[in-house]
Amino acid sequence: MTTAPMPAYAGPSRVFSGMQPTGGLHLGNYLGALVKFVRLQHEHECIYCVVDLHAITIEHDPKALQQQCREVAAAYIAAGVDPKKAIIFVQSAVPAHAELAWIFNCVARMGWLERMTQFKDKAGKNAERMSVGLFDYPVLQAADILAYKATHVPVGEDQKQHLELSRDIAARFNSDYNAPNFFPLPEPLIQGPGARIMSLRDGSKKMSKSDPSDQSRINLTDDADAIANKFKRATTDPLPLPETAEGLKGRPEVENLVGIYAALADLSVDQVLGEWGGKGFGAFKPALADIAAQKLAPIAGEMRRLLVDRTALDEILRDGAARADAISAPMMSQVRDIVGLWRR
Ligand code: TRP
């Protein structure tokens, strides 16, 4: 039996990504996300969201949340995202996210969500006491992406499974409602240097703001002294740096530092090892700290400047929300029609 080939999704390619306003941005966020966001804006239509609806799935401080949203927005801009080009906005300012998430709740299956490893990791033994929102987090994420029919999503390795879920939801919606190719099946963009920045203390753990040790991460706001100190104390081994990438195997902490150096200096790992292979960490670490401080100082300075002028920053976010709404609101009317909901 043969079936007619399905016409492929014919909409424009569009990039969407989001970061949680949980406070404490660090080098992992910068190299893993922000650098990519900046690069992509020159090649694609890009929409970058600050996902406050995701932040309330766990305990949070209502008095701090708005300012934390401003901090993430300021970090986007300070890193080089141009708010005139890319759309920068706060999730809860645009109604499509929560509305589409509800509709997707009725498309996604319990079994799909029960397989999500991030929920299991976050909840641990306390799953019964977690909010329903935390369980449902990846459905809201699918709504974020598909409210704009985004086709490409720059994210970290840890979000791969959530992107698979987004594709499953999109495909199931398209087929359940007999709306072929209505939603695209969004693809993650994961490759590139800086895809995985690890803790400075333990090369098997991601650099994270929730690590109790501040020594484990370089914060975007750390000054040159703090940066030098943290790299100096970063876990390594007594051997010199290897001559080739092959020699990084089984040395995750070393691999991490070399990867950070390469990403910051815009070099390949081989180029870094070409220069540093055979040399010791006593020389490498201060050089790494210098590059990091040089890169991060202007970003921290620009963030501070943006955060002082709250009116200007809020205006940028209002403009971003209006542009995001202009794309997602008409899309939602189509979705409501497709699903059979009441016309507004
Ligand atoms: N879950 C993502 C993270 O923790 C954040 C996020 C929310 C997101 N919605 C998104 C990322 C949509 C990409 C697209 O990193």
Side-chain angles (χ1 to χ4, degrees):
M1 195 182 77
T2 57
T3 45
M6 284 271 261
Y9 176 75
S13 90
R14 190 178 270 154
V15 169
F16 183 98
S17 196
M19 262 165 76
Q20 286 205 51
T22 38
L25 289 163
H26 53 73
L27 186 64
N29 302 124
Y30 175 65
L31 292 176
L34 297 175
V35 169
K36 265 188 244 169
F37 290 5
V38 173
R39 200 174 301 142
L40 285 163
Q41 71 180 335
H42 305 299
E43 298 145 29
H44 300 274
E45 181 184 0
C46 291
I47 306 176
Y48 298 131
C49 186
V50 183
V51 294
D52 58 345
L53 296 171
H54 280 103
I56 66 168
T57 58
I58 56 170
E59 222 179 297
H60 68 284
D61 177 1
K63 288 194 207 70
L65 190 56
Q66 293 183 349
Q67 192 58 18
Q68 288 171 336
C69 287
R70 290 189 187 97
E71 272 167 32
V72 174
Y76 286 167
I77 299 167
V81 177
D82 176 357
K84 290 199 194 69
K85 225 173 180 171
I87 297 177
I88 299 177
F89 74 107
V90 177
Q91 188 185 30
S92 66
V94 176
H97 298 256
E99 188 177 353
L100 188 57
W102 178 257
I103 292 169
F104 284 172
N105 276 334
C106 305
V107 173
R109 306 288 102 181
M110 287 295 289
W112 301 357
L113 285 169
E114 274 159 5
R115 282 196 285 278
M116 295 293 118
T117 55
Q118 191 169 79
F119 176 77
K120 289 187 227 177
D121 291 346
K122 281 193 191 169
K125 293 195 198 77
N126 299 320
E128 296 294 315
R129 264 169 288 151
M130 294 293 134
S131 74
V132 175
L134 187 69
F135 183 68
D136 200 35
Y137 178 116
V139 173
L140 178 59
Q141 184 166 345
D144 295 340
I145 298 164
L146 293 167
Y148 305 91
K149 296 192 174 182
T151 52
H152 296 90
V153 186
V155 278
E157 188 70 36
D158 62 326
Q159 294 298 310
K160 230 169 139 173
Q161 197 187 31
H162 288 169
L163 259 290
E164 269 162 38
L165 184 87
S166 296
R167 287 200 293 282
D168 287 343
I169 291 174
R172 178 81 183 237
F173 180 97
N174 292 350
S175 86
D176 278 4
Y177 288 105
N178 197 15
N181 296 305
F182 180 77
F183 285 121
L185 308 185
E187 291 292 335
L189 298 174
I190 291 176
Q191 345 55 359
R196 227 168 134 68
I197 303 298
M198 313 307 282
S199 154
L200 301 182
R201 294 335 270 297
D202 176 350
S204 70
K205 285 199 298 198
K206 241 178 62 154
M207 186 176 284
S208 162
K209 69 124 213 156
S210 52
D211 192 311
S213 165
D214 194 58
Q215 293 292 325
S216 71
R217 65 186 157 261
I218 306 288
N219 303 303
L220 287 192
T221 48
D222 283 346
D223 62 19
D225 283 347
I227 293 173
N229 213 294
K230 286 177 179 179
F231 278 125
K232 192 169 156 197
R233 295 173 60 183
T235 309
T236 43
D237 51 39
L239 301 172
L241 281 104
E243 308 275 349
T244 63
E246 190 65 15
L248 293 169
K249 289 221 175 91
R251 300 172 76 187
E253 284 87 6
V254 178
E255 183 173 14
N256 187 40
L257 294 186
V258 171
I260 292 174
Y261 190 109
L264 285 170
D266 214 359
L267 296 171
S268 70
V269 165
D270 287 324
Q271 285 171 317
V272 175
L273 294 177
E275 189 184 338
W276 289 95
K279 298 185 183 150
F281 288 99
F284 181 73
K285 284 175 163 182
L288 174 56
D290 277 350
I291 303 188
Q294 264 175 44
K295 272 268 149 120
L296 297 187
I299 296 172
E302 181 64 6
M303 273 180 74
R304 272 193 297 276
R305 196 188 64 73
L306 287 159
L307 287 166
V308 167
D309 191 352
R310 187 187 275 192
T311 323
L313 187 55
D314 286 5
E315 183 50 39
I316 290 173
L317 290 171
R318 200 176 4 257
D319 173 65
R323 287 157 67 201
D325 194 55
I327 300 172
S328 55
M331 218 284 299
M332 282 310 300
S333 323
Q334 290 178 304
V335 169
R336 279 195 298 271
D337 277 348
I338 290 171
V339 175
L341 299 176
W342 204 259
R343 288 241 169 99
R344 276 191 190 146

